[in-house]
């Protein structure tokens, strides 16, 4: 560490000692600008996050030159330990990624010194490697922050706006940053959620090209102090992802019960007696003479068929069939007569 520090000090002295390329005699020599806004953001995660969540965390680190990294934290520990870790790392802001069941991701944005602290559920995650957008920006360049008009409508949105500006805004004259703006962060409020997008500035007229990543922040709670304290705001429309999956499985399991209920309703509403149709109603449709001739022809055909069947059946079989049709009393009388 001492050798590196000496090399850096030597480089700084050589750079300061070099005269400017062009300078008027009346102009004073340029002074070294101080890094006044010393915002440092600690970005790390707990154990148990998925690969997609890890790639998202790496993308956010690449977009923030004023971040500091830390190894993963055990989930069993209390979140108050994060405040001590940030003080050890000399950071005054923190972004903590917390994974649940390797499928759900929660993000904590906190102001370490005084507060507040906000808990979000991250939805619809798309990383830079997954999107492969056409936009590009220089690493370490400063972004412009664009907020929707809805951030000024409610007090908790205005508080989130101030917290996002302090965390995502790169300080001026930061040692690892570039002194120009070439991309924009957009925060829009839609469907009670905050949608994050990152765009490259192509032209001064307003031409943009998306870089990535994409994600949606669903606010859960706002706490008064860092990782604790009183709840300043609670989202009444928030539904946990575990409960949402439970509702979907219940709906899928009730398909058989719903089908049986539909059948019972059909049987209950089905009429027992239907209306009898009169065959003579068809006579009055079309030409009546043609209908009468058709009915006569049908009757003749039916009679001819009956006569043919009678001729085919022998006399004994016909008698037996006629006897079977008679009731039991008439059969006994015939036997007695015989």
């Amino acid at each position: 560490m001492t050798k590196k520090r000496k090399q850096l000090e030597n480089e700084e002295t050589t750079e300061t000692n070099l005269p400017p390329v062009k300078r008027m005699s009346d102009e004073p020599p340029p002074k070294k600008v101080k890094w006044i806004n010393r915002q440092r953001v600690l970005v790390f995660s707990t154990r148990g996050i998925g690969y997609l969540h890890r790639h998202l965390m790496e993308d956010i680190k690449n977009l923030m030159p004023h971040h500091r990294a830390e190894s993963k934290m055990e989930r069993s520990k209390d979140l108050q330990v994060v405040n001590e870790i940030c003080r050890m790392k000399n950071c005054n802001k923190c972004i903590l990624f917390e994974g649940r069941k390797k499928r759900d991701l929660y993000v904590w944005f906190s102001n370490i010194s005084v507060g507040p602290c906000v808990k979000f559920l991250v939805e619809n995650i798309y990383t830079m490697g997954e999107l492969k957008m056409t936009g590009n920006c220089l690493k370490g360049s400063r972004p412009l922050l664009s907020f929707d008009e809805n951030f000024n409508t409610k007090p908790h949105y205005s508080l989130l706006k101030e917290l996002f500006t302090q965390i995502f805004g790169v300080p001026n004259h930061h040692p690892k940053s570039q002194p120009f703006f070439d991309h924009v962060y957009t925060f829009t409020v839609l469907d009670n959620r905050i949608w994050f997008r990152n765009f490259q500035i192509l032209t001064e007229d307003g031409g943009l090209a998306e870089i990535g990543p994409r994600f949606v922040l669903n606010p859960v709670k706002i706490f008064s102090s860092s990782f604790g304290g009183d709840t300043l705001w609670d989202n009444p429309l928030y539904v946990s992802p575990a409960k949402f999956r439970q509702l979907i499985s219940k709906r899928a399991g009730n398909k058989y019960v719903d089908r049986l209920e539909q059948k019972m309703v059909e049987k209950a509403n089905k009429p027992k007696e239907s209306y009898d149709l009169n065959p003579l109603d068809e006579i009055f449709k079309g030409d009546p003479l043609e209908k009468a001739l058709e009915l006569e022809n049908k009757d003749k055909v039916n009679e001819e068929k009956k006569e043919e069947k009678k001729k085919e059946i022998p006399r004994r079989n016909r008698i037996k069939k006629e006897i079977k049709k008679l009731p039991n009393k008439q059969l006994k009388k015939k036997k007695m007569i015989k």
Side-chain angles (χ1 to χ4, degrees):
M1 293 295 289
T2 54
K3 289 181 180 179
K4 289 183 179 179
R5 284 179 183 173
K6 286 179 180 178
Q7 287 177 1
L8 291 170
E9 288 175 0
N10 292 328
E11 287 176 3
E12 287 176 0
T13 52
T14 53
E15 286 178 0
T16 52
N17 292 330
L18 287 173
V21 180
K22 285 184 180 181
R23 187 170 68 86
M24 300 297 290
S25 60
D26 298 333
E27 290 180 1
K31 293 181 180 180
K32 189 176 179 181
V33 182
K34 290 183 179 181
W35 174 32
I36 298 168
N37 184 15
R38 295 179 177 272
Q39 295 286 342
R40 300 182 187 90
V41 183
L42 185 67
V43 183
F44 70 112
S45 68
T46 60
R47 293 193 181 276
I49 63 171
Y51 69 95
L52 188 66
H53 307 154
R54 188 173 66 253
H55 289 307
L56 177 66
M57 185 177 67
E58 293 298 326
D59 290 342
I60 290 173
K61 284 181 180 179
N62 292 328
L63 293 174
M64 298 170 67
H66 61 294
H67 85 277
R68 287 193 176 180
E70 176 64 20
S71 59
K72 293 179 182 179
M73 189 184 75
E74 293 290 339
R75 287 186 294 179
S76 60
K77 292 182 180 179
D78 190 10
L79 291 177
Q80 292 291 332
V81 181
V82 180
N83 297 326
E84 297 178 4
I85 295 168
C86 291
R87 291 190 190 99
M88 290 168 65
K89 289 282 183 179
N90 197 15
C91 296
N92 50 10
K93 300 288 185 297
C94 179
I95 299 175
L96 176 65
F97 291 86
E98 184 183 0
R100 303 267 180 91
K101 298 180 181 180
K102 291 190 177 181
R103 58 169 71 181
D104 304 326
L105 180 65
Y106 291 90
V107 175
W108 296 76
F109 290 92
S110 177
N111 184 14
I112 299 300
S113 58
V114 182
C117 178
V118 189
K119 183 182 179 182
F120 292 99
L121 173 67
V122 188
E123 301 172 347
N124 301 332
I125 299 169
Y126 296 96
T127 58
M128 284 185 184
E130 185 181 358
L131 288 171
K132 295 180 180 178
M133 292 289 185
T134 56
N136 194 7
C137 66
L138 189 66
K139 189 174 181 180
S141 60
R142 299 181 67 199
L144 294 172
L145 302 181
S146 174
F147 290 93
D148 190 12
E149 294 179 354
N150 294 321
F151 278 95
N152 300 323
T153 56
K154 294 180 181 179
H156 63 276
Y157 283 143
S158 60
L159 189 144
L160 293 175
K161 179 181 176 181
E162 182 62 28
L163 189 64
F164 287 149
T165 51
Q166 292 181 14
I167 289 174
F168 287 99
V170 178
N172 194 11
H173 304 295
H174 191 274
K176 293 183 181 179
S177 66
Q178 302 293 333
F180 54 85
F181 301 92
D182 64 346
H183 61 288
V184 186
Y185 295 159
T186 60
F187 298 91
T188 56
V189 177
L190 184 65
D191 193 18
N192 298 314
R193 290 169 174 81
I194 298 167
W195 299 64
F196 176 85
R197 296 289 184 272
N198 182 19
F199 295 96
Q200 177 194 358
I201 301 171
L202 297 174
T203 57
E204 295 180 357
D205 301 334
L208 300 174
E210 190 173 356
I211 304 169
R214 291 180 181 178
F215 56 89
V216 180
L217 298 173
N218 188 3
V220 181
K221 283 184 180 181
I222 299 175
F223 298 96
S224 59
S225 60
S226 178
F227 294 100
D230 299 330
T231 55
L232 299 175
W233 178 78
D234 191 2
N235 190 359
L237 302 173
Y238 170 71
V239 179
S240 65
K243 192 173 182 181
F244 183 71
R245 286 192 293 268
Q246 187 180 3
L247 292 170
I248 290 170
S249 62
K250 279 184 178 180
R251 286 178 185 175
N254 291 332
K255 281 184 180 179
Y256 178 69
V257 179
D258 294 339
R259 207 180 302 128
L260 289 177
E261 287 179 356
Q262 287 176 3
K263 287 182 180 179
M264 294 294 288
V265 170
E266 284 179 2
K267 286 181 181 179
N269 295 330
K270 191 176 180 180
K272 294 179 181 179
E273 295 179 358
S274 61
Y275 293 101
D276 295 330
L277 298 174
N278 190 2
L280 299 175
D281 292 340
E282 294 182 357
I283 296 170
F284 301 101
K285 292 180 182 178
D287 193 3
L289 296 173
E290 292 179 358
K291 291 284 182 182
L293 292 170
E294 286 179 3
L295 292 170
E296 285 180 1
N297 293 327
K298 283 182 182 180
D299 293 335
K300 287 178 182 179
V301 171
N302 291 329
E303 287 176 359
E304 289 176 357
K305 286 181 180 179
K306 286 179 182 179
E307 288 177 358
E308 288 176 358
K309 285 181 180 180
K310 286 180 181 179
K311 289 177 182 178
E312 290 175 359
I313 298 169
R315 189 168 175 273
R316 289 179 182 178
N317 295 335
R318 192 169 65 248
I319 291 164
K320 286 180 182 179
K321 285 183 180 181
E322 288 177 359
I323 290 166
K324 286 179 182 178
K325 290 178 182 179
L326 294 171
N328 293 328
K329 291 180 179 180
Q330 291 181 2
L331 287 170
K332 287 179 181 179
K333 285 180 182 179
K334 283 187 177 181
K335 286 179 182 179
M336 291 294 290
I337 291 163
K338 289 179 181 177

